[in-house]
Amino acid sequence: MKFSQSNVIERLQQAQNAHDLEAFLACFAPNFQGNHPLHPERGFQGIEDARKNWATMFYDIPDFHSELLRSAVEGDTAWAEWYWFGTHRDGTQFGMRGVTILGIQADQIEWARLYMEPV
């Protein structure tokens, strides 16, 4: 079976915009490793860490929206430029822009480096 790295990015964005946590988590391998090179304390691993992080995000930002600005694929690595935005429950605006670099195998994200910063 042939998988497409760009399909994983599309599924990820669709799940984000639908606030569909289970569909979002299905994009990740069970042993997923995520890190933020500029903020090492934000690193996380595994599906349960991803579940905790994104369940909080979807709850705290009920109108969370993900805009994919650009993407590129080279072999099993995908690069995606994002704009995430919405409004926190307390009325303050949320916005992050940046790039994620994703390692994809068998139609799931195995690792990610997130270079996302508040705007």
Side-chain angles (χ1 to χ4, degrees):
M1 176 181 265
K2 178 84 170 130
F3 298 107
S4 167
Q5 282 72 356
S6 59
N7 285 345
V8 175
I9 294 170
E10 291 169 13
R11 284 193 352 258
L12 184 73
Q13 183 190 24
Q14 288 170 356
Q16 285 174 322
N17 287 334
H19 298 201
D20 185 338
L21 186 58
E22 295 309 315
F24 178 81
L25 295 172
C27 296
F28 295 91
N31 59 346
F32 171 75
Q33 298 288 318
N35 70 64
H36 297 257
L38 300 176
H39 305 282
E41 71 282 1
R42 295 184 190 166
F44 56 100
Q45 60 186 4
I47 294 296
E48 289 312 309
D49 278 356
R51 177 184 303 282
K52 179 182 167 191
N53 291 345
W54 282 89
T56 299
M57 186 86 102
F58 292 151
Y59 176 80
D60 288 346
I61 308 161
D63 64 345
F64 176 92
H65 187 78
S66 172
E67 184 176 330
L68 179 62
L69 303 173
R70 289 170 192 80
S71 65
V73 174
E74 177 67 33
D76 62 0
T77 304
W79 169 96
E81 182 182 4
W82 302 98
Y83 176 36
W84 297 339
F85 58 93
T87 308
H88 290 279
R89 289 188 177 274
D90 68 4
T92 60
Q93 293 299 301
F94 166 82
M96 293 189 86
R97 286 184 183 260
V99 170
T100 59
I101 302 170
L102 310 170
I104 301 171
Q105 290 290 324
D107 210 30
Q108 290 186 312
I109 301 166
E110 289 195 340
W111 58 265
R113 290 187 193 101
L114 291 85
Y115 298 91
M116 300 293 295
E117 294 295 323
V119 293

